PDB file of all heavy atoms in Angstrom:
ATOM      1  N   GLY Y 389      39.852 -26.826 -25.449  1.00 49.00           N
ATOM      2  CA  GLY Y 389      41.279 -26.722 -25.727  1.00 49.00           C
ATOM      3  C   GLY Y 389      41.632 -25.636 -26.714  1.00 49.00           C
ATOM      4  O   GLY Y 389      42.799 -25.328 -26.918  1.00 49.00           O
ATOM      5  N   SER Y 390      40.648 -25.036 -27.370  1.00 49.00           N
ATOM      6  CA  SER Y 390      40.924 -23.985 -28.357  1.00 49.00           C
ATOM      7  C   SER Y 390      40.284 -22.681 -27.918  1.00 49.00           C
ATOM      8  O   SER Y 390      39.320 -22.662 -27.171  1.00 49.00           O
ATOM      9  CB  SER Y 390      40.386 -24.396 -29.728  1.00 49.00           C
ATOM     10  OG  SER Y 390      38.983 -24.555 -29.663  1.00 49.00           O
ATOM     11  N   ARG Y 391      40.816 -21.596 -28.405  1.00 51.00           N
ATOM     12  CA  ARG Y 391      40.325 -20.263 -28.050  1.00 51.00           C
ATOM     13  C   ARG Y 391      39.220 -19.847 -29.032  1.00 51.00           C
ATOM     14  O   ARG Y 391      39.401 -19.929 -30.237  1.00 51.00           O
ATOM     15  CB  ARG Y 391      41.465 -19.256 -28.085  1.00 51.00           C
ATOM     16  CG  ARG Y 391      41.049 -17.846 -27.709  1.00 51.00           C
ATOM     17  CD  ARG Y 391      42.256 -16.929 -27.735  1.00 51.00           C
ATOM     18  NE  ARG Y 391      41.908 -15.556 -27.429  1.00 51.00           N
ATOM     19  CZ  ARG Y 391      41.833 -15.065 -26.204  1.00 51.00           C
ATOM     20  NH1 ARG Y 391      42.078 -15.858 -25.174  1.00 51.00           N
ATOM     21  NH2 ARG Y 391      41.521 -13.805 -25.994  1.00 51.00           N
ATOM     22  N   HIS Y 392      38.092 -19.396 -28.490  1.00 52.00           N
ATOM     23  CA  HIS Y 392      36.962 -18.982 -29.324  1.00 52.00           C
ATOM     24  C   HIS Y 392      36.872 -17.462 -29.274  1.00 52.00           C
ATOM     25  O   HIS Y 392      36.186 -16.885 -28.428  1.00 52.00           O
ATOM     26  CB  HIS Y 392      35.656 -19.636 -28.821  1.00 52.00           C
ATOM     27  CG  HIS Y 392      35.696 -21.134 -28.863  1.00 52.00           C
ATOM     28  ND1 HIS Y 392      35.394 -21.854 -29.984  1.00 52.00           N
ATOM     29  CD2 HIS Y 392      36.057 -22.028 -27.914  1.00 52.00           C
ATOM     30  CE1 HIS Y 392      35.541 -23.153 -29.730  1.00 52.00           C
ATOM     31  NE2 HIS Y 392      35.935 -23.280 -28.469  1.00 52.00           N
ATOM     32  N   ASN Y 393      37.607 -16.801 -30.172  1.00 66.00           N
ATOM     33  CA  ASN Y 393      37.661 -15.343 -30.144  1.00 66.00           C
ATOM     34  C   ASN Y 393      36.301 -14.719 -30.428  1.00 66.00           C
ATOM     35  O   ASN Y 393      35.966 -13.673 -29.873  1.00 66.00           O
ATOM     36  CB  ASN Y 393      38.692 -14.838 -31.159  1.00 66.00           C
ATOM     37  CG  ASN Y 393      40.113 -15.126 -30.705  1.00 66.00           C
ATOM     38  OD1 ASN Y 393      40.393 -15.094 -29.514  1.00 66.00           O
ATOM     39  ND2 ASN Y 393      40.991 -15.422 -31.646  1.00 66.00           N
ATOM     40  N   GLY Y 394      35.512 -15.321 -31.341  1.00 76.00           N
ATOM     41  CA  GLY Y 394      34.220 -14.735 -31.691  1.00 76.00           C
ATOM     42  C   GLY Y 394      33.300 -14.645 -30.497  1.00 76.00           C
ATOM     43  O   GLY Y 394      32.801 -13.569 -30.154  1.00 76.00           O
ATOM     44  N   LEU Y 395      33.056 -15.761 -29.836  1.00 82.00           N
ATOM     45  CA  LEU Y 395      32.184 -15.781 -28.662  1.00 82.00           C
ATOM     46  C   LEU Y 395      32.773 -14.952 -27.531  1.00 82.00           C
ATOM     47  O   LEU Y 395      32.053 -14.237 -26.819  1.00 82.00           O
ATOM     48  CB  LEU Y 395      31.955 -17.229 -28.206  1.00 82.00           C
ATOM     49  CG  LEU Y 395      30.984 -17.417 -27.037  1.00 82.00           C
ATOM     50  CD1 LEU Y 395      29.615 -16.854 -27.381  1.00 82.00           C
ATOM     51  CD2 LEU Y 395      30.881 -18.896 -26.676  1.00 82.00           C
ATOM     52  N   HIS Y 396      34.091 -15.027 -27.379  1.00 84.00           N
ATOM     53  CA  HIS Y 396      34.756 -14.254 -26.329  1.00 84.00           C
ATOM     54  C   HIS Y 396      34.559 -12.753 -26.556  1.00 84.00           C
ATOM     55  O   HIS Y 396      34.256 -12.006 -25.615  1.00 84.00           O
ATOM     56  CB  HIS Y 396      36.249 -14.596 -26.300  1.00 84.00           C
ATOM     57  CG  HIS Y 396      37.041 -13.714 -25.379  1.00 84.00           C
ATOM     58  ND1 HIS Y 396      37.028 -13.879 -24.009  1.00 84.00           N
ATOM     59  CD2 HIS Y 396      37.862 -12.653 -25.632  1.00 84.00           C
ATOM     60  CE1 HIS Y 396      37.813 -12.959 -23.457  1.00 84.00           C
ATOM     61  NE2 HIS Y 396      38.331 -12.212 -24.419  1.00 84.00           N
ATOM     62  N   ASN Y 397      34.708 -12.307 -27.791  1.00 85.00           N
ATOM     63  CA  ASN Y 397      34.535 -10.881 -28.099  1.00 85.00           C
ATOM     64  C   ASN Y 397      33.092 -10.431 -27.890  1.00 85.00           C
ATOM     65  O   ASN Y 397      32.839  -9.317 -27.406  1.00 85.00           O
ATOM     66  CB  ASN Y 397      34.962 -10.604 -29.535  1.00 85.00           C
ATOM     67  CG  ASN Y 397      36.469 -10.726 -29.727  1.00 85.00           C
ATOM     68  OD1 ASN Y 397      37.228 -10.619 -28.761  1.00 85.00           O
ATOM     69  ND2 ASN Y 397      36.899 -10.976 -30.962  1.00 85.00           N
ATOM     70  N   MET Y 398      32.136 -11.286 -28.264  1.00 89.00           N
ATOM     71  CA  MET Y 398      30.734 -10.937 -28.058  1.00 89.00           C
ATOM     72  C   MET Y 398      30.416 -10.793 -26.572  1.00 89.00           C
ATOM     73  O   MET Y 398      29.726  -9.856 -26.158  1.00 89.00           O
ATOM     74  CB  MET Y 398      29.825 -11.992 -28.696  1.00 89.00           C
ATOM     75  CG  MET Y 398      29.796 -11.935 -30.217  1.00 89.00           C
ATOM     76  SD  MET Y 398      28.532 -13.007 -30.938  1.00 89.00           S
ATOM     77  CE  MET Y 398      29.288 -14.614 -30.702  1.00 89.00           C
ATOM     78  N   GLN Y 399      30.914 -11.723 -25.772  1.00 89.00           N
ATOM     79  CA  GLN Y 399      30.677 -11.655 -24.326  1.00 89.00           C
ATOM     80  C   GLN Y 399      31.343 -10.437 -23.703  1.00 89.00           C
ATOM     81  O   GLN Y 399      30.779  -9.793 -22.815  1.00 89.00           O
ATOM     82  CB  GLN Y 399      31.176 -12.942 -23.667  1.00 89.00           C
ATOM     83  CG  GLN Y 399      30.357 -14.169 -24.034  1.00 89.00           C
ATOM     84  CD  GLN Y 399      30.980 -15.453 -23.544  1.00 89.00           C
ATOM     85  OE1 GLN Y 399      32.186 -15.526 -23.300  1.00 89.00           O
ATOM     86  NE2 GLN Y 399      30.168 -16.489 -23.401  1.00 89.00           N
ATOM     87  N   LYS Y 400      32.544 -10.107 -24.181  1.00 89.00           N
ATOM     88  CA  LYS Y 400      33.253  -8.943 -23.641  1.00 89.00           C
ATOM     89  C   LYS Y 400      32.525  -7.651 -23.990  1.00 89.00           C
ATOM     90  O   LYS Y 400      32.372  -6.756 -23.143  1.00 89.00           O
ATOM     91  CB  LYS Y 400      34.682  -8.896 -24.168  1.00 89.00           C
ATOM     92  CG  LYS Y 400      35.541  -7.785 -23.546  1.00 89.00           C
ATOM     93  CD  LYS Y 400      36.963  -7.849 -24.037  1.00 89.00           C
ATOM     94  CE  LYS Y 400      37.827  -6.814 -23.321  1.00 89.00           C
ATOM     95  NZ  LYS Y 400      37.309  -5.440 -23.451  1.00 89.00           N
ATOM     96  N   ARG Y 401      32.070  -7.519 -25.238  1.00 89.00           N
ATOM     97  CA  ARG Y 401      31.319  -6.330 -25.629  1.00 89.00           C
ATOM     98  C   ARG Y 401      30.043  -6.193 -24.793  1.00 89.00           C
ATOM     99  O   ARG Y 401      29.681  -5.091 -24.366  1.00 89.00           O
ATOM    100  CB  ARG Y 401      30.949  -6.392 -27.110  1.00 89.00           C
ATOM    101  CG  ARG Y 401      32.081  -6.059 -28.056  1.00 89.00           C
ATOM    102  CD  ARG Y 401      31.572  -6.010 -29.490  1.00 89.00           C
ATOM    103  NE  ARG Y 401      32.662  -5.824 -30.435  1.00 89.00           N
ATOM    104  CZ  ARG Y 401      33.153  -4.630 -30.769  1.00 89.00           C
ATOM    105  NH1 ARG Y 401      32.630  -3.546 -30.221  1.00 89.00           N
ATOM    106  NH2 ARG Y 401      34.147  -4.530 -31.643  1.00 89.00           N
TER     107      ARG Y 401
END
Side-chain angles (χ1 to χ4, degrees):
S390 62
R391 181 178 178 86
H392 299 275
N393 289 326
L395 184 59
H396 172 77
N397 290 338
M398 287 189 286
Q399 292 171 337
K400 186 176 185 304
R401 283 186 186 275

